[in-house]
Amino acid sequence: MGVLAEYLRAEAEQLKKEKLRRGEILQEWLDALNDLYRQLQEWLTVCDPENLIDRTIEKIPGEELAFGDYQVPVLKLALVDRIVRFLPMARFVAATIRLPGQATPVRAQGGVQLRGLGMRTCYLFRAPGGKWFIQKEFEPLNVNGNDVVPLDAERFEAVVRESF
Protein backbone atom coordinates (compact mmCIF):
# COMPACT_ATOMS: atom_id res chain seq x y z
CA MET A 1 0.00 0.00 0.00
CA GLY A 2 2.91 2.36 0.62
CA VAL A 3 4.11 2.15 -3.02
CA LEU A 4 0.68 3.07 -4.41
CA ALA A 5 0.28 5.92 -1.93
CA GLU A 6 3.66 7.36 -2.94
CA TYR A 7 2.84 6.99 -6.63
CA LEU A 8 -0.53 8.72 -6.20
CA ARG A 9 1.04 11.59 -4.25
CA ALA A 10 3.74 12.14 -6.90
CA GLU A 11 1.30 11.75 -9.80
CA ALA A 12 -1.21 14.17 -8.23
CA GLU A 13 1.53 16.77 -7.75
CA GLN A 14 2.63 16.43 -11.38
CA LEU A 15 -0.95 16.62 -12.67
CA LYS A 16 -1.60 19.78 -10.63
CA LYS A 17 1.46 21.44 -12.16
CA GLU A 18 0.41 20.42 -15.69
CA LYS A 19 -3.14 21.68 -15.11
CA LEU A 20 -1.83 25.03 -13.88
CA ARG A 21 0.45 25.35 -16.93
CA ARG A 22 -2.38 24.45 -19.33
CA GLY A 23 -4.56 27.07 -17.64
CA GLU A 24 -1.86 29.69 -18.22
CA ILE A 25 -1.57 28.73 -21.90
CA LEU A 26 -5.35 28.83 -22.33
CA GLN A 27 -5.53 32.30 -20.76
CA GLU A 28 -2.70 33.49 -23.02
CA TRP A 29 -4.63 32.14 -26.06
CA LEU A 30 -7.87 33.84 -25.02
CA ASP A 31 -5.99 37.10 -24.39
CA ALA A 32 -4.39 36.83 -27.86
CA LEU A 33 -7.81 36.35 -29.46
CA ASN A 34 -9.29 39.31 -27.60
CA ASP A 35 -6.30 41.48 -28.57
CA LEU A 36 -6.75 40.41 -32.20
CA TYR A 37 -10.45 41.28 -32.12
CA ARG A 38 -9.70 44.68 -30.56
CA GLN A 39 -7.27 45.42 -33.39
CA LEU A 40 -9.75 44.29 -36.04
CA GLN A 41 -12.47 46.47 -34.51
CA GLU A 42 -10.12 49.47 -34.47
CA TRP A 43 -9.51 48.98 -38.18
CA LEU A 44 -13.27 48.68 -38.72
CA THR A 45 -13.85 51.95 -36.90
CA VAL A 46 -11.53 53.69 -39.36
CA CYS A 47 -12.94 52.10 -42.53
CA ASP A 48 -16.59 52.09 -41.41
CA PRO A 49 -17.18 55.51 -39.82
CA GLU A 50 -20.97 55.19 -40.33
CA ASN A 51 -21.08 51.94 -38.34
CA LEU A 52 -22.79 50.04 -41.14
CA ILE A 53 -21.19 46.83 -39.92
CA ASP A 54 -22.63 45.52 -36.66
CA ARG A 55 -19.84 44.02 -34.53
CA THR A 56 -20.37 41.58 -31.69
CA ILE A 57 -18.26 39.09 -29.82
CA GLU A 58 -20.09 35.88 -29.06
CA LYS A 59 -18.92 33.11 -26.77
CA ILE A 60 -19.37 29.59 -28.06
CA PRO A 61 -18.35 26.22 -26.63
CA GLY A 62 -14.89 25.10 -27.63
CA GLU A 63 -12.87 22.01 -26.87
CA GLU A 64 -9.22 21.13 -27.19
CA LEU A 65 -7.46 18.07 -25.90
CA ALA A 66 -5.03 20.17 -23.86
CA PHE A 67 -7.72 22.35 -22.27
CA GLY A 68 -10.94 20.38 -22.28
CA ASP A 69 -14.13 22.41 -22.66
CA TYR A 70 -13.92 26.20 -22.60
CA GLN A 71 -15.70 29.27 -23.98
CA VAL A 72 -14.27 30.61 -27.25
CA PRO A 73 -14.77 34.24 -28.33
CA VAL A 74 -15.97 34.67 -31.93
CA LEU A 75 -16.01 38.03 -33.68
CA LYS A 76 -19.20 38.38 -35.71
CA LEU A 77 -19.60 41.10 -38.33
CA ALA A 78 -23.01 41.71 -39.88
CA LEU A 79 -23.83 43.92 -42.84
CA VAL A 80 -27.64 43.88 -42.94
CA ASP A 81 -28.23 40.11 -43.34
CA ARG A 82 -24.74 39.10 -44.49
CA ILE A 83 -22.53 37.69 -41.77
CA VAL A 84 -18.80 37.15 -41.47
CA ARG A 85 -17.33 35.30 -38.49
CA PHE A 86 -13.80 35.07 -37.18
CA LEU A 87 -13.97 31.60 -35.68
CA PRO A 88 -10.98 30.30 -33.68
CA MET A 89 -9.95 26.80 -34.73
CA ALA A 90 -7.61 25.99 -31.82
CA ARG A 91 -4.54 27.16 -29.96
CA PHE A 92 -2.75 23.92 -30.80
CA VAL A 93 -3.25 23.59 -34.54
CA ALA A 94 -1.52 21.13 -36.83
CA ALA A 95 -1.08 23.89 -39.44
CA THR A 96 2.34 25.10 -40.41
CA ILE A 97 3.02 28.51 -41.90
CA ARG A 98 5.74 29.78 -44.17
CA LEU A 99 6.61 33.26 -42.95
CA PRO A 100 7.76 35.86 -45.49
CA GLY A 101 11.42 35.38 -46.33
CA GLN A 102 11.66 31.97 -44.66
CA ALA A 103 11.93 28.71 -46.58
CA THR A 104 11.12 26.39 -43.68
CA PRO A 105 7.57 26.33 -42.33
CA VAL A 106 6.96 26.74 -38.58
CA ARG A 107 4.09 25.45 -36.46
CA ALA A 108 1.39 28.08 -35.97
CA GLN A 109 0.49 28.86 -32.37
CA GLY A 110 -3.20 29.19 -33.05
CA GLY A 111 -5.53 29.74 -35.95
CA VAL A 112 -8.72 31.62 -36.75
CA GLN A 113 -10.93 30.82 -39.69
CA LEU A 114 -12.71 33.65 -41.48
CA ARG A 115 -16.11 32.37 -42.58
CA GLY A 116 -18.17 34.49 -44.90
CA LEU A 117 -20.39 34.09 -47.89
CA GLY A 118 -20.02 31.04 -50.04
CA MET A 119 -17.40 28.37 -49.72
CA ARG A 120 -14.40 30.69 -49.81
CA THR A 121 -12.54 30.89 -46.57
CA CYS A 122 -9.40 32.47 -45.24
CA TYR A 123 -7.22 31.76 -42.24
CA LEU A 124 -5.38 33.91 -39.76
CA PHE A 125 -2.43 32.30 -37.99
CA ARG A 126 -0.57 33.32 -34.88
CA ALA A 127 3.16 32.87 -35.34
CA PRO A 128 5.65 32.07 -32.60
CA GLY A 129 6.21 35.38 -30.85
CA GLY A 130 2.53 36.33 -31.05
CA LYS A 131 2.28 38.22 -34.34
CA TRP A 132 -0.76 37.49 -36.53
CA PHE A 133 -0.47 36.57 -40.20
CA ILE A 134 -3.01 35.93 -42.92
CA GLN A 135 -2.98 33.56 -45.87
CA LYS A 136 -1.84 35.21 -49.06
CA GLU A 137 -4.83 33.90 -50.97
CA PHE A 138 -8.22 32.36 -50.23
CA GLU A 139 -7.25 28.69 -50.41
CA PRO A 140 -7.57 25.41 -48.54
CA LEU A 141 -5.07 24.64 -45.81
CA ASN A 142 -1.81 23.24 -47.13
CA VAL A 143 -0.19 20.46 -45.08
CA ASN A 144 3.27 21.45 -46.37
CA GLY A 145 3.04 25.00 -45.04
CA ASN A 146 0.69 27.88 -45.74
CA ASP A 147 2.17 30.99 -47.31
CA VAL A 148 1.27 33.93 -45.12
CA VAL A 149 1.79 37.69 -44.99
CA PRO A 150 1.52 40.00 -41.99
CA LEU A 151 -2.03 40.90 -41.04
CA ASP A 152 -2.54 44.63 -41.50
CA ALA A 153 -5.45 47.02 -42.01
CA GLU A 154 -5.28 46.85 -45.81
CA ARG A 155 -5.37 43.06 -45.97
CA PHE A 156 -8.05 42.94 -43.30
CA GLU A 157 -10.28 45.32 -45.28
CA ALA A 158 -9.73 43.29 -48.47
CA VAL A 159 -10.75 39.95 -46.94
CA VAL A 160 -13.77 41.44 -45.18
CA ARG A 161 -14.89 43.03 -48.46
CA GLU A 162 -14.45 39.72 -50.29
CA SER A 163 -16.23 37.81 -47.51
CA PHE A 164 -19.40 39.91 -47.52
Side-chain angles (χ1 to χ4, degrees):
M1 192 107 144
V3 174
L4 178 59
E6 184 58 35
Y7 167 79
L8 293 174
R9 191 175 2 265
E11 192 68 12
E13 189 62 34
Q14 182 63 30
L15 290 173
K16 287 177 187 175
K17 288 178 184 176
E18 289 174 15
K19 183 178 180 179
L20 179 62
R21 179 68 184 133
R22 286 190 315 266
E24 291 170 353
I25 294 169
L26 175 59
Q27 188 58 56
E28 180 260 340
W29 170 235
L30 295 173
D31 290 346
L33 289 170
N34 287 318
D35 289 345
L36 171 66
Y37 296 159
R38 267 191 292 283
Q39 179 63 70
L40 299 180
Q41 290 186 70
E42 285 177 21
W43 290 336
L44 278 173
T45 299
V46 172
C47 66
D48 179 26
E50 296 179 46
N51 289 317
L52 299 173
I53 298 174
D54 181 41
R55 308 153 207 174
T56 56
I57 294 181
E58 304 171 335
K59 301 277 185 166
I60 64 168
E63 180 182 4
E64 284 190 62
L65 185 59
F67 306 133
D69 296 334
Y70 65 102
Q71 292 294 303
V72 181
V74 175
L75 177 60
K76 177 182 167 186
L77 308 178
L79 180 63
V80 187
D81 61 350
R82 293 184 182 174
I83 295 175
V84 172
R85 283 186 177 83
F86 289 84
L87 183 65
M89 298 180 299
R91 161 56 178 86
F92 294 102
V93 292
T96 57
I97 53 177
R98 199 173 0 267
L99 299 170
Q102 294 186 3
T104 306
V106 296
R107 173 77 43 122
Q109 293 186 345
V112 175
Q113 182 180 26
L114 172 61
R115 288 191 186 168
L117 285 176
M119 299 305 288
R120 292 173 51 130
T121 191
C122 179
Y123 297 91
L124 309 179
F125 295 105
R126 190 165 173 259
K131 188 172 180 181
W132 286 93
F133 289 81
I134 188 168
Q135 278 182 304
K136 277 185 164 181
E137 305 290 334
F138 281 86
E139 58 189 30
L141 289 176
N142 183 343
V143 295
N144 297 318
N146 298 276
D147 290 322
V148 295
V149 292
L151 177 63
D152 59 20
E154 184 178 324
R155 288 184 179 93
F156 169 70
E157 288 181 35
V159 297
V160 169
R161 186 182 62 243
E162 290 183 41
S163 298
F164 276 127

